[in-house]
């Protein structure tokens, strides 16, 4: 499979495919600036993003399961068509299915791009009876841009949730300050999605936190005072943002996390989770996220 992928889609040193952990096919993107990103076709998971001055920016659990049967614990799991629990597998089927490579390119400006796709098939139709194609475009340049689109090829409208469930690596969760959330309503997933209001200028972590912030601003910021790093999340076409850290007890209960993993990541997830998106027959939905580190 890797041989075929390289034959059809590699681009000299900029884009290559290898057998990753568990033998799962993995793509490697290399930008002239020295930036690198990796993605697994399984779940279209961006599992690594490294920048020359900052090193690794995404958290991947050392205990992540690469058997190809469970979602990878870390990177940027792709949540679609369902957020959380419900009729479908938790967070939907997109992150637990193999995606195909649709195209690869190096732009005239030097950005390195790959488009991955997941289309309806009999197994997915049995769970979710719609004719769709989801695409994830990954663009590596001075920052990391992802564009998520859903095409409705059927004759029926359909509705879905989506999220980029990004695990950001941090120096220590105690050093993290989140900006942009003041005055927002949020649904507290620890209180049966009770609706509350956020009064804090800056969010910090001192307990399990699992919230869907509704109608969050287009730019959110993660400040990590421990490594003097700022991560800007610029989202478009995704109304909400989930903030999640499992903290001590929940972390211990999650089998593919180490007991101290809660200290090493925060999830800030651009998403449409509080409400679903409806795509009419023959129509296309598109949303994007740009991650910019300084
Ligand atoms: O996005 C936050 C959340 O919904 C949390 O409730 C927690 O369950 C997290 O996702 C991880 O979910 P997972 O199914 O990957 O264990």
């Amino acid at each position: 499979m890797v041989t075929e992928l390289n034959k059809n889609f590699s681009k000299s040193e900029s884009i290559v495919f290898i057998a990753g952990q568990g033998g799962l096919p993995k793509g490697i993107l290399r930008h002239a600036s020295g930036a690198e990103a990796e993605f697994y076709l399984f779940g279209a998971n961006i599992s690594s993003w490294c920048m020359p001055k900052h090193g690794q920016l995404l958290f991947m659990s050392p205990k992540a399961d690469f058997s190809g049967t469970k979602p990878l614990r870390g990177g940027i799991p792709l949540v679609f068509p369902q957020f959380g629990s419900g009729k479908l597998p938790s967070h939907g089927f997109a992150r637990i299915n193999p995606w195909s490579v649709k195209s690869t390119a190096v732009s005239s400006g030097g950005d390195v791009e790959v488009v991955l796709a997941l289309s309806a098939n009999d197994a997915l139709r049995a769970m979710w009876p719609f004719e769709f194609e989801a695409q994830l475009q990954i663009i590596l340049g001075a920052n990391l841009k992802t564009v998520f689109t859903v095409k409705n090829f059927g004759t029926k409208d359909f509705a879905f949730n989506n999220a980029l469930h990004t695990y950001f690596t941090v120096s220590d969760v105690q050093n993290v300050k989140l900006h942009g959330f003041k005055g927002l309503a949020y649904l507290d997933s620890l209180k049966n999605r009770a609706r509350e209001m956020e009064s804090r200028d800056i969010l910090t972590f001192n307990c399990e936190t699992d919230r869907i912030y509704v109608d969050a601003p287009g730019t959110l910021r993660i400040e990590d005072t421990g490594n003097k790093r700022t991560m800007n999340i610029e989202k478009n076409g995704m109304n909400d943002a989930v903030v999640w850290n499992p903290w001590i007890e929940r972390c211990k209960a999650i089998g593919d996390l180490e007991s101290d993993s809660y200290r090493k990541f925060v999830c800030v997830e651009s998403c449409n989770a509080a409400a679903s998106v409806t795509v009419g027959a023959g129509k296309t939905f598109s949303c994007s996220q740009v991650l910019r580190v300084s």
Side-chain angles (χ1 to χ4, degrees), residues 40-55:
Y40 280 88
L41 296 192
F42 177 69
N45 184 304
I46 301 170
S47 53
S48 169
W49 173 40
C50 292
M51 290 290 278
K53 293 179 185 166
H54 299 281

Side-chain angles (χ1 to χ4, degrees), residues 7-291:
K7 177 172 158 245
N8 297 328
F9 297 110
S10 68
K11 298 286 181 192
S12 66
E13 286 309 302
S14 300
I15 303 176
V16 294
F17 294 86
I18 65 170
Q21 295 192 58
L24 296 175
K26 177 169 83 169
I28 301 173
L29 308 177
R30 294 189 181 97
H31 184 258
S33 66
E36 282 203 15
E38 299 181 356
F39 59 92
Y40 280 88
L41 296 192
F42 177 69
N45 184 304
I46 301 170
S47 53
S48 169
W49 173 40
C50 292
M51 290 290 278
K53 293 179 185 166
H54 299 281
Q56 179 61 258
L57 295 158
L58 300 179
F59 170 84
M60 179 60 73
S61 172
K63 296 176 73 177
D65 182 320
F66 286 89
S67 65
T69 59
K70 291 184 182 169
L72 302 183
R73 176 67 66 189
I76 308 181
L78 191 54
V79 176
F80 172 79
Q82 171 186 289
F83 187 89
S85 57
K87 292 180 184 171
L88 301 174
S90 177
H91 284 333
F93 49 66
R95 63 177 188 163
I96 52 174
N97 273 278
W99 289 52
S100 61
V101 179
K102 201 162 180 93
S103 65
T104 53
V106 179
S107 74
S108 54
D111 286 352
V112 184
E113 308 177 7
V114 59
V115 178
L116 306 177
L118 176 71
S119 295
N121 58 44
D122 291 346
L124 299 184
R125 287 187 193 98
M127 288 188 274
W128 201 61
F130 301 107
E131 297 308 311
F132 77 94
E133 180 186 70
Q135 289 189 8
L136 184 72
Q137 183 183 15
I138 305 170
I139 304 167
L140 177 69
N143 46 60
L144 179 64
K145 182 172 182 178
T146 43
V147 182
F148 178 66
T149 61
V150 180
K151 296 180 181 177
N152 182 348
F153 290 113
T155 57
K156 299 181 290 182
D157 297 2
F158 57 61
F160 60 85
N161 303 114
N162 71 287
L164 296 170
H165 196 300
T166 311
Y167 286 71
F168 292 97
T169 193
V170 296
S171 60
D172 188 290
V173 69
Q174 311 265 23
N175 299 327
V176 172
K177 297 178 178 179
L178 302 186
H179 302 260
F181 294 87
K182 181 171 183 173
L184 297 181
Y186 66 88
L187 309 179
D188 192 330
S189 300
L190 302 178
K191 298 177 183 171
N192 199 25
R193 289 204 178 177
R195 192 179 181 93
E196 315 269 357
M197 293 302 290
E198 183 55 71
S199 58
R200 293 174 292 170
D201 277 314
I202 293 172
L203 305 194
T204 56
F205 295 87
N206 60 14
C207 63
E208 182 179 0
T209 305
D210 191 353
R211 299 175 172 185
I212 302 171
Y213 283 89
V214 183
D215 291 338
T219 298
L220 300 166
R221 185 154 51 91
I222 305 173
E223 181 187 357
D224 184 341
T225 57
N227 52 22
K228 297 180 176 53
R229 179 185 297 169
T230 296
M231 176 71 69
N232 279 314
I233 303 167
E234 301 164 11
K235 62 184 180 68
N236 189 295
M238 291 180 275
N239 299 323
D240 313 318
V242 167
V243 173
W244 179 56
N245 183 280
W247 210 246
I248 301 167
E249 293 313 315
R250 180 98 164 79
C251 188
K252 284 178 188 166
I254 296 176
D256 52 5
L257 285 176
E258 295 177 321
S259 59
D260 68 344
S261 288
Y262 75 95
R263 304 187 60 161
K264 300 176 180 176
F265 75 88
V266 295
C267 285
V268 181
E269 308 160 34
S270 303
C271 60
N272 288 299
S276 57
V277 174
T278 296
V279 182
K283 302 294 185 189
T284 297
F285 164 80
S286 186
C287 62
S288 65
Q289 170 181 273
V290 176
L291 300 180

